């Protein structure tokens, strides 16, 4: 199901009708109108326990004030007869109470509900043949629309908002517009003005939350069977309307990728989010209408509507109807037809291998715009029928992949169950759209995935080489090394090698067929850019998490950063440590340091001690003893700076679902680029705490490129640089440290991160000693020598070949 802050068309319609109907009922009751009892969802108080004391007194007062003898059960929708809407509106309009006015948000909700119903009516009306009588069907389509319209118009004397004169005057100036159209235009203008006014606002506080336990109101369906059918049809329309918007947005994303405006990971992650939203939106409809679990059931309802509109009884004959290509595309019929045909040849044991060229030859160099509808459908048939067996291999042999997108997961499930839900036909259609846009360029995307995988494997290789002779601290268990090695093996077997090809070879050998040619290697990855993108993304997420865990446990980020900052605060500061500066910029000075970055030697020492986990009471002014008290919270470390890992890792790596929470979305929006579109999204979220499907995709599309820059930081290389520097400092300063009374020295290399800290401690400790012995620059000489060693080491790093950036686009690889 969709989280509360995500609003589908159907959910928004239900919310809007609830807002409007609840307001009518509440205010109608104030004006003396009482709903017929048959329409109220009541709990009989005769079955309730006997009230005593204060509760009994309050109940009696409520009854005396005109309250109903029954209580509302807010756990169930409060059903209101459609016939009551106009009566409620008239009772309010004719009331003598001058203080009852229709709030703007209530009127907006009613207008949105009307617009949603009208879109459904207009769509089916536009797709039917005008030569057949459709008046009765159109009348049923607009049944609820007219009820809400009449109620809104009856409330006109009670409107609380005016924008640009009276509606009647505006109707005279624009006679072609209906009164409702004038109201819709007026409120659309008001919303634009409100957003414009909030451009300069930076309010962080969310709008007031609605009261908990508030009843939900629903308008009852009509008593006739056709009325219930129209309600189901409207729900299905809302589903396909949302999916159509998602499809359009994702197509635009891949068009941007094709034009080299965004990278593969951004396009793939955004697309996979669209797949997830499609699943959750479908589940929302299934909660109301569980009979629509399979695509065929949904198709039957839609086709019956067109059959009726063309003057045919659905119960007569085969009930077949011809629809144009626009309708077929809107309901994803071509993709379903291919999937359904493939399911027909699925067997329980072997994978149905389709001989290349059996259905024809797919030519990605062909200009698709030059093809007619039949040729386009045939092209899609070839592409899918030759690729679907690869998903069957993954499913039937339970092959492990480093990451899986929702389309891959859905097609693998179809291979086992032969079930084709609506969302899967949508995702398959999007997959075909991507091929239509990229054409030949689709085959270059595995290069990006393998480049990311190769970088991860090489990085791990360097780490293992460094790790062999290094004594680990107790905070780094040996099992962590095994986790790293398993991840490398996983990359080797599932990304850098083709896990499917050996099973193809075995099946062909069992049937005395020649082995697959070399062109079959990575056949699935070459044709599945979304899978390539999410796999690369999952590897980058995993490497960032592994790297941060490593430098936190080993102490090779925070401690060297504190030492580095101390040397940067000298009168003759050392040069930059580029990778460390990058880490500090990403995680923020407030995380690396305790508050503001220190600028004196004494403050640097305090910061270092606090970072180690030394209690702040050690630095109280009144404290005379210099014994350091260890903090119960332990040492500080780097923390995850992005919502990406929290949102996606469970889904991509473990087959779970995305973690879409308000907290994660807040972080996602805060981490976007500063483009005009991203600012607009942030303003809208701040005001409503709600997002549409497309707005969430927009937020992700803007946030991913920013997050990729953070994920590209190589924490393993930082660890390697820190260990190399600290080893040199320990070797070259050991004799100097022995000269300072009380200076600490390391016992083994698990304590290497403390070398820089001991240097600062010695320098600070000798300030008192030097003053007593009249040697004023002893600590400074120690820091200067340490600074020289660091500068020399950084110079050597600069002369090494620079790490090339990971190619995240097929044209940059």
């Amino acid at each position: 199901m969709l989280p509360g802050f995500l609003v589908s068309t159907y959910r928004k319609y239900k919310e809007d009708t609830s807002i409007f109907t609840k307001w009518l009922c509440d205010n109608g009751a104030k004006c003396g109108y009482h709903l017929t009892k048959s329409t109220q969802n009541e709990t009989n108080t005769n079955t309730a326990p006997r009230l005593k004391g204060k509760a009994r007194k309050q109940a009696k007062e409520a009854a005396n004030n005109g309250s109903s003898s029954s209580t509302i059960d807010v756990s169930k929708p409060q059903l209101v007869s459609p016939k009551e809407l106009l009566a409620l509106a008239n009772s309010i309009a004719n009331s003598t109470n001058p203080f009852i006015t229709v709030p703007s948000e209530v009127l907006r909700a009613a207008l949105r509900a009307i617009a949603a119903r009208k879109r459904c009516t207009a769509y089916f009306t536009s797709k039917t043949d005008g030569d057949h009588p459709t008046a009765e069907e159109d009348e049923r389509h607009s049944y609820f629309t007219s009820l809400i319209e009449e109620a809104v118009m009856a409330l006109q004397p009670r409107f609380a908002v005016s924008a640009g004169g009276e509606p009647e005057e505006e109707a005279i100036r624009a006679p072609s517009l209906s009164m409702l159209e004038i109201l819709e235009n007026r409120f659309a203008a008001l919303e634009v003005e409100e957003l414009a006014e909030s451009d300069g606002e930076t309010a962080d506080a969310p709008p007031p939350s609605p009261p908990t336990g508030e009843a939900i109101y629903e308008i009852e369906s009509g008593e006739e069977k056709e009325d219930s059918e129209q309600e189901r049809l409207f729900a299905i329309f809302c589903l396909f309307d949302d999916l159509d918007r998602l499809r359009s947005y994702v197509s635009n994303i891949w068009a941007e990728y094709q034009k080299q405006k965004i990278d593969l990971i951004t396009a793939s992650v955004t697309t996979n989010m669209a797949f997830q939203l499609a699943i959750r939106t479908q589940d929302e409809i299934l909660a109301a209408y569980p009979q629509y679990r399979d695509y065929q059931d949904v198709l039957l309802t839609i086709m019956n509507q067109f059959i009726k509109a063309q003057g045919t009884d659905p119960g007569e004959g085969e009930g077949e109807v011809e629809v144009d290509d626009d309708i077929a595309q809107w309901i994803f019929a071509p993709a379903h037809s291919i999937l359904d045909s493939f399911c027909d040849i699925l067997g329980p044991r072997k994978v149905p291998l389709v001989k290349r060229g059996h259905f024809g030859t797919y030519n990605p160099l062909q200009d698709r715009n030059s093809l007619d509808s039949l040729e386009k459908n045939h092209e899609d048939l070839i592409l899918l029928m030759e690729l679907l067996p690869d998903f069957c291999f993954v499913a039937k042999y339970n092959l492990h992949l480093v990451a899986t997108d929702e389309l891959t997961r859905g097609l693998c499930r179809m291979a086992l169950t032969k079930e084709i839900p609506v969302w899967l036909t949508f995702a398959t259609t999007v997959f075909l759209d991507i091929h239509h846009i990229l054409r030949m360029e689709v085959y270059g995307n595995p290069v990006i995935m393998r480049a990311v995988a190769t970088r991860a494997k090489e990085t791990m290789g360097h780490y293992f080489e460094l790790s062999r002779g290094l004594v680990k601290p107790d905070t780094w268990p040996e099992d962590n090394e095994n986790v790293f090695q398993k991840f490398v093996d996983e990359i080797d077997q599932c990304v850098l090698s083709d896990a499917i090809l050996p099973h193809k070879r075995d099946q062909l050998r069992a049937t005395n067929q020649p082995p697959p040619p070399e062109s079959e290697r990575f056949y699935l990855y070459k044709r599945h850019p979304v899978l390539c993108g999410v796999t690369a993304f999952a590897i980058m997420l995993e490497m960032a998490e592994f790297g941060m865990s490593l430098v936190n446990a080993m102490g090779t980020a925070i401690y060297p950063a504190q030492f580095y900052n101390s040397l940067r605060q000298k009168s003759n500061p050392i040069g930059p440590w580029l990778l460390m500066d990058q880490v500090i910029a990403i995680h923020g000075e407030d995380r690396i340091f305790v508050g503001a970055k220190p600028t004196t030697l004494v403050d640097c020492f305090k910061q270092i001690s606090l970072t180690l986990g030394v209690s702040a009471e050690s630095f109280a002014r009144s404290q005379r003893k210099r014994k350091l008290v260890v903090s119960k919270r332990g040492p500080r470390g780097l923390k995850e700076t992005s919502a990406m890992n929290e949102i996606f890792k469970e889904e991509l790596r473990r087959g779970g679902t995305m973690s879409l929470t308000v907290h994660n979305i807040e972080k996602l929006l805060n981490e976007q680029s500063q483009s005009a579109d991203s600012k607009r999204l942030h303003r809208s979220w701040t005001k409503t705490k709600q997002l549409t499907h497309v707005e969430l995709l927009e937020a992700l599309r803007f946030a991913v490129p920013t997050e990729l820059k953070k994920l590209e930081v190589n924490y393993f290389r930082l660890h390697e640089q820190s260990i190399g520097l600290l080893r040199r400092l320990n070797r070259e300063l050991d004799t100097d440290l022995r000269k300072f009374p009380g200076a600490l020295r390391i016992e083994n290399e698990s304590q290497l991160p403390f070398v820089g800290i001991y240097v600062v401690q010695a320098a600070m400790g000798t300030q008192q000693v030097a003053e007593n012995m009249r040697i004023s620059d002893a600590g400074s000489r120690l820091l200067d020598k340490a600074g020289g060693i660091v500068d020399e080491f950084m110079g050597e790093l600069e002369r090494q070949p620079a790490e090339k950036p990971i190619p995240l686009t097929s044209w940059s690889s």
Side-chain angles (χ1 to χ4, degrees), residues 361-427:
T361 302
Y362 172 70
N363 181 12
L365 298 176
Q366 172 76 49
D367 180 9
R368 186 172 172 86
N369 293 327
S370 66
L371 305 178
D372 59 30
S373 293
L374 289 177
E375 290 172 328
K376 290 177 180 178
N377 289 339
H378 186 68
E379 185 181 69
D380 293 343
L381 172 71
I382 298 170
L383 199 156
L384 278 181
M385 292 298 278
E386 292 189 349
L387 182 60
L388 286 172
D390 280 56
F391 294 101
C392 293
F393 276 110
V394 175
K396 291 184 180 291
Y397 291 96
N398 197 25
L399 301 183
H400 177 71
L401 301 177
V402 169
T404 51
D405 63 290
E406 292 298 339
L407 173 62
T408 299
R409 206 171 296 155
L411 290 174
C412 288
R413 193 176 301 116
M414 182 197 75
L416 299 175
T417 65
K418 297 189 178 183
E419 294 178 357
I420 309 175
V422 171
W423 80 263
L424 186 58
T425 64
F426 157 78

Side-chain angles (χ1 to χ4, degrees), residues 211-503:
T212 57
E214 192 171 279
I216 298 173
Y217 283 70
E218 287 187 5
I219 303 173
E220 282 185 312
S221 299
E223 297 178 359
E224 298 184 27
K225 176 183 177 182
E226 289 81 0
D227 295 328
S228 297
E229 289 178 355
Q230 293 308 317
E231 279 305 294
R232 292 197 297 271
L233 185 65
F234 175 69
I236 292 173
F237 168 80
C238 291
L239 171 61
F240 280 98
D241 192 43
D242 282 337
L243 297 181
D244 186 59
R245 295 170 195 264
L246 289 175
R247 180 185 178 186
S248 296
Y249 187 82
V250 172
S251 293
N252 290 335
I253 284 288
W254 286 96
E256 287 188 31
Y257 174 69
Q258 196 270 338
K259 295 174 184 176
Q260 306 182 11
K261 292 183 178 179
I262 60 173
D263 59 86
L264 175 66
I265 290 178
T266 299
S268 300
V269 170
T270 305
T271 301
N272 198 49
M273 173 73 85
F275 295 161
Q276 265 275 354
L277 293 177
I279 295 171
R280 297 188 183 200
T281 304
Q282 175 191 274
D283 290 345
E284 189 173 68
I285 300 299
L286 288 176
Y289 302 105
Q291 65 268 38
Y292 291 135
R293 187 164 301 278
D294 189 81
Y295 177 88
Q296 290 283 12
D297 299 319
V298 177
L299 184 63
L300 181 62
T301 300
I302 296 174
M303 289 299 100
N304 280 345
Q305 173 62 27
F306 287 112
I307 292 170
K308 289 180 180 179
Q310 294 184 5
T312 306
D313 185 349
E316 295 179 1
E318 296 296 325
E320 295 183 354
V321 61
E322 290 187 5
V323 295
D324 62 29
D325 189 58
D326 289 342
I327 297 175
Q329 287 294 329
W330 189 71
I331 60 177
F332 319 121
H336 174 266
S337 177
I338 299 172
L339 295 179
D340 195 42
S341 297
F342 183 76
C343 286
D344 289 340
I345 62 173
L346 278 175
R349 297 180 181 177
K350 294 183 179 180
V351 174
L353 283 176
V354 178
K355 185 178 180 181
R356 305 297 179 227
H358 175 76
F359 293 99
T361 302
Y362 172 70
N363 181 12
L365 298 176
Q366 172 76 49
D367 180 9
R368 186 172 172 86
N369 293 327
S370 66
L371 305 178
D372 59 30
S373 293
L374 289 177
E375 290 172 328
K376 290 177 180 178
N377 289 339
H378 186 68
E379 185 181 69
D380 293 343
L381 172 71
I382 298 170
L383 199 156
L384 278 181
M385 292 298 278
E386 292 189 349
L387 182 60
L388 286 172
D390 280 56
F391 294 101
C392 293
F393 276 110
V394 175
K396 291 184 180 291
Y397 291 96
N398 197 25
L399 301 183
H400 177 71
L401 301 177
V402 169
T404 51
D405 63 290
E406 292 298 339
L407 173 62
T408 299
R409 206 171 296 155
L411 290 174
C412 288
R413 193 176 301 116
M414 182 197 75
L416 299 175
T417 65
K418 297 189 178 183
E419 294 178 357
I420 309 175
V422 171
W423 80 263
L424 186 58
T425 64
F426 157 78
T428 305
T429 301
V430 169
F431 173 81
L432 292 171
D433 288 342
I434 295 170
H435 275 265
H436 302 161
I437 294 167
L438 297 183
R439 305 301 287 178
M440 193 67 185
E441 293 175 25
V442 78
Y443 300 111
N445 295 298
V447 175
I448 301 168
M449 176 188 67
R450 288 200 295 272
V452 173
T454 301
R455 170 69 58 83
K457 182 181 177 181
E458 291 175 350
T459 298
M460 285 295 194
H462 291 311
Y463 166 74
F464 289 137
E465 185 178 346
L466 175 68
S467 180
R468 286 191 185 97
L470 186 66
V471 179
K472 315 296 191 306
D474 294 337
T475 52
W476 188 254
E478 185 64 30
D479 188 55
N480 286 359
E481 304 282 306
N482 297 331
V483 172
F484 285 1
Q485 185 59 57
K486 286 180 181 177
F487 184 59
V488 173
D489 294 342
E490 189 179 1
I491 289 174
D492 253 337
Q493 296 165 11
C494 306
V495 181
L496 299 179
S497 299
D498 188 347
I500 299 174
L501 190 62
H503 296 280

Side-chain angles (χ1 to χ4, degrees), residues 73-148:
D73 181 3
V74 298
S75 65
K76 300 177 181 178
Q78 311 305 306
L79 300 178
V80 178
S81 170
K83 299 176 183 178
E84 303 264 18
L85 296 181
L86 183 57
L88 283 164
N90 285 329
S91 70
I92 296 169
N94 297 329
S95 170
T96 57
N97 186 341
F99 299 107
I100 297 180
T101 56
V102 185
S104 61
E105 285 306 315
V106 171
L107 189 51
R108 278 191 177 100
L111 294 175
R112 284 194 299 263
I114 292 169
R117 299 294 300 213
K118 281 186 171 181
R119 280 202 312 275
C120 177
T121 303
Y123 179 81
F124 287 105
T125 301
S126 68
K127 298 302 181 182
T128 54
D129 188 347
D131 294 336
H132 293 283
T134 60
E136 183 179 347
E137 289 303 316
D138 289 346
E139 183 178 346
R140 292 194 180 279
H141 266 303
S142 59
Y143 176 62
F144 283 106
T145 309
S146 62
L147 291 173
I148 302 176

Side-chain angles (χ1 to χ4, degrees), residues 49 129 237 288 305 318 411 466 560 567 602 651 675 723 740 759 810:
D129 188 347
F237 168 80
Q305 173 62 27
E318 296 296 325
L411 290 174
L466 175 68
L567 299 182
V602 173
E651 180 211 7
S675 67
I723 292 296
F740 293 98
V759 170
S810 58

